[in-house]
Amino acid sequence: MTRLSESVQDYLKAIFELHQTTPRVTTNALATRLGVSAASVTGMVRRLAELGLVEYAPYQGVVLTGSGRRAALEVIRHHRLIELYLTQALGYSWDEVHAEAERLEHAVSRSFAERIAQLLGDPKVDPHGDPIPSREGEMPRVSQRTLVEVPSGTALSVQRVRDEDAEVLRRLAALRLFPNTRFVVKAVDQERGKRVLCLGDGVEIEVEDKLAQHVFVQEETIASSPSSPR
Ligand SMILES: [Zn+2]
């Protein structure tokens, strides 16, 4: 495929991400996501359709074609490999890497990204718990359930966290809410918009709903105690 411009790649990535929760992406949702006007989205979406990357009909939303999806997954693969490389090889912390990867994902070649993958032993997840698409463009489905949606008494672990907001990541790190952290929801305080979690080592932490929205969780089986090794 000919090299796609940075903004084309950003559009494909945004459409792919919105596809996770809806089969047809509206131009309004895209405009909000990318922080641009609805008119410029419509113009770009027409261009993407001409390039064979999306299917688009007015009022029916946007759907990625096979080649649009492959191109999106390649950018996402670059992004996540770069984030992992920055933390593992260059000593960046997890709240510093997203902004760097947003820039570098467009600049690196496919072979550069593959060298990173080789160096890191073909990793499957990035520092935020997001799966890294395979070279062939396959990626497992992820949990869309956030910590604010679960009732008290549930044994869970963190699957992944949203990576866009550095301040959010710093606050999550201070609470030790990293991917694979196991915990039980002890109490939900609707009025104050907070919940109390008991971590695997018995430490209790308080998490505001605003922060909990950034944490995607998966359920743990009852049989495994939170302190047992993985
Ligand atoms: Zn990122």
Side-chain angles (χ1 to χ4, degrees):
M1 182 180 290
T2 52
R3 195 154 175 80
L4 301 170
S5 76
E6 201 166 305
S7 66
V8 165
Q9 291 182 341
D10 281 337
Y11 267 79
L12 295 176
K13 209 169 63 157
I15 298 166
F16 182 89
E17 276 155 15
L18 292 167
H19 264 322
Q20 303 307 300
T21 47
T22 174
R24 286 187 172 270
V25 175
T26 65
T27 45
N28 278 337
L30 255 182
T32 309
R33 169 98 202 179
L34 293 163
V36 295
S37 72
S40 54
V41 167
T42 308
M44 179 55 121
V45 160
R46 290 218 175 92
R47 242 188 86 200
L48 296 177
E50 280 165 21
L51 291 168
L53 298 168
V54 302
E55 279 167 23
Y56 168 64
Y59 308 108
Q60 286 185 36
V62 186
V63 179
L64 286 175
T65 62
S67 57
R69 187 183 148 80
R70 275 193 299 281
L73 280 161
E74 191 177 328
V75 185
I76 293 168
R77 177 171 166 81
H78 288 186
H79 181 103
R80 294 180 179 171
L81 281 170
I82 289 164
E83 286 188 338
L84 195 63
Y85 177 72
L86 292 173
T87 54
Q88 296 209 343
L90 300 185
Y92 278 68
S93 59
W94 81 336
D95 55 292
E96 296 174 317
V97 294
H98 177 75
E100 293 281 19
E102 283 288 87
R103 287 189 288 270
L104 291 169
E105 66 187 13
H106 307 293
V108 301
S109 68
R110 193 177 290 172
S111 65
F112 187 92
E114 291 319 315
R115 291 291 180 95
I116 292 179
Q118 254 177 37
L119 181 77
L120 301 178
D122 254 326
K124 302 283 179 269
V125 285
D126 79 3
H128 312 110
D130 283 312
I132 298 173
S134 74
R135 208 170 279 111
E136 294 74 32
E138 279 144 20
M139 186 166 74
R141 281 207 150 269
V142 288
S143 166
Q144 299 295 334
R145 194 179 185 206
T146 68
L147 183 50
V148 277
E149 296 164 52
V150 289
S152 64
T154 327
L156 301 162
S157 66
V158 177
Q159 187 192 55
R160 61 196 179 97
V161 299
R162 283 191 219 278
D163 67 353
E164 290 98 354
D165 189 329
E167 178 56 29
V168 162
L169 289 171
R170 283 191 286 273
R171 290 176 63 200
L172 291 174
L175 293 169
R176 293 188 295 143
L177 284 177
F178 299 111
N180 297 326
T181 295
R182 304 170 90 173
F183 60 89
V184 175
V185 181
K186 283 206 78 177
V188 177
D189 186 341
Q190 303 274 18
E191 234 161 78
R192 287 163 63 232
K194 284 177 185 219
R195 56 203 59 228
V196 178
L197 312 183
C198 181
L199 300 184
D201 56 8
V203 173
E204 288 190 4
I205 57 168
E206 242 186 31
V207 188
E208 284 174 41
D209 288 356
K210 263 192 193 153
L211 194 59
Q213 284 167 5
H214 296 266
V215 179
F216 293 90
V217 295
Q218 58 197 357
E219 251 170 79
E220 290 286 321
T221 50
I222 304 296
S224 59
S225 91
S227 58
S228 69
R230 294 181 71 85

Coordinates of all heavy atoms in Angstrom, one line a residue, residues 79-80 83 97-99 101-102 126 128 130 163-164, ligand 1:
H79 N 2.2 2.0 17.3 CA 2.0 2.8 18.5 C 2.3 2.0 19.8 O 3.1 2.5 20.6 CB 0.5 3.3 18.5 CG 0.2 4.2 19.7 ND1 0.0 5.5 19.6 CD2 -0.1 3.9 21.0 CE1 -0.3 6.0 20.8 NE2 -0.3 5.0 21.7
R80 N 1.7 0.9 19.8 CA 1.9 0.1 21.1 C 3.3 -0.5 21.2 O 3.8 -0.6 22.3 CB 0.8 -1.0 21.1 CG -0.6 -0.3 21.2 CD -1.8 -1.2 21.3 NE -3.0 -0.4 21.4 CZ -4.2 -0.9 21.3 NH1 -4.4 -2.1 21.1 NH2 -5.2 0.0 21.5
E83 N 5.4 2.4 22.5 CA 5.2 2.6 23.9 C 6.0 1.7 24.8 O 6.6 2.0 25.8 CB 3.7 2.5 24.2 CG 2.9 3.7 23.7 CD 1.4 3.7 24.2 OE1 1.0 2.6 24.6 OE2 0.8 4.8 24.3
V97 N 4.7 7.9 27.6 CA 4.9 7.3 26.3 C 3.8 7.5 25.3 O 4.1 7.5 24.1 CB 5.1 5.8 26.5 CG1 6.4 5.5 27.2 CG2 4.0 5.1 27.1
H98 N 2.6 7.8 25.7 CA 1.5 7.9 24.7 C 1.8 9.1 23.8 O 1.7 9.0 22.5 CB 0.2 8.1 25.4 CG -1.0 8.3 24.4 ND1 -1.5 7.2 23.7 CD2 -1.7 9.4 24.1 CE1 -2.4 7.7 22.9 NE2 -2.6 9.0 23.1
A99 N 2.1 10.3 24.3 CA 2.4 11.5 23.5 C 3.5 11.2 22.5 O 3.4 11.6 21.3 CB 2.7 12.7 24.4
A101 N 4.5 8.3 21.4 CA 4.0 7.3 20.4 C 3.1 7.9 19.3 O 3.1 7.5 18.2 CB 3.4 6.1 21.1
E102 N 2.3 8.9 19.8 CA 1.4 9.5 18.8 C 2.1 10.2 17.7 O 1.7 10.2 16.5 CB 0.5 10.6 19.5 CG -0.6 10.1 20.4 CD -1.8 9.5 19.5 OE1 -1.7 8.3 19.2 OE2 -2.7 10.3 19.2
D126 N 0.9 -3.9 25.5 CA 1.6 -2.6 25.7 C 1.6 -2.3 27.2 O 1.0 -3.0 28.0 CB 1.1 -1.5 24.8 CG -0.1 -0.8 25.3 OD1 -0.6 -1.2 26.4 OD2 -0.6 0.0 24.6
H128 N 0.1 -0.3 28.9 CA -1.2 0.1 29.5 C -2.2 -1.1 29.5 O -3.4 -1.0 29.8 CB -1.8 1.3 28.8 CG -0.9 2.4 28.6 ND1 -0.3 2.8 27.4 CD2 -0.3 3.2 29.6 CE1 0.5 3.8 27.6 NE2 0.5 4.1 28.9
D130 N -3.1 -2.8 26.8 CA -3.7 -2.9 25.5 C -3.0 -4.0 24.6 O -1.8 -4.0 24.6 CB -3.7 -1.6 24.7 CG -4.7 -0.6 25.2 OD1 -5.9 -1.0 25.4 OD2 -4.4 0.6 25.4
D163 N -5.0 5.3 27.9 CA -3.6 5.8 27.9 C -3.5 7.3 27.5 O -2.4 7.8 27.5 CB -2.7 4.9 27.1 CG -3.0 5.1 25.6 OD1 -4.0 5.7 25.2 OD2 -2.3 4.5 24.7
E164 N -4.6 8.0 27.2 CA -4.5 9.3 26.7 C -4.1 10.4 27.7 O -3.4 11.4 27.3 CB -5.8 9.8 26.0 CG -6.1 9.0 24.7 CD -7.1 7.9 24.9 OE1 -7.4 7.7 26.1 OE2 -7.6 7.3 24.0
Ligands
ZN1 ZN -1.0 5.1 23.6

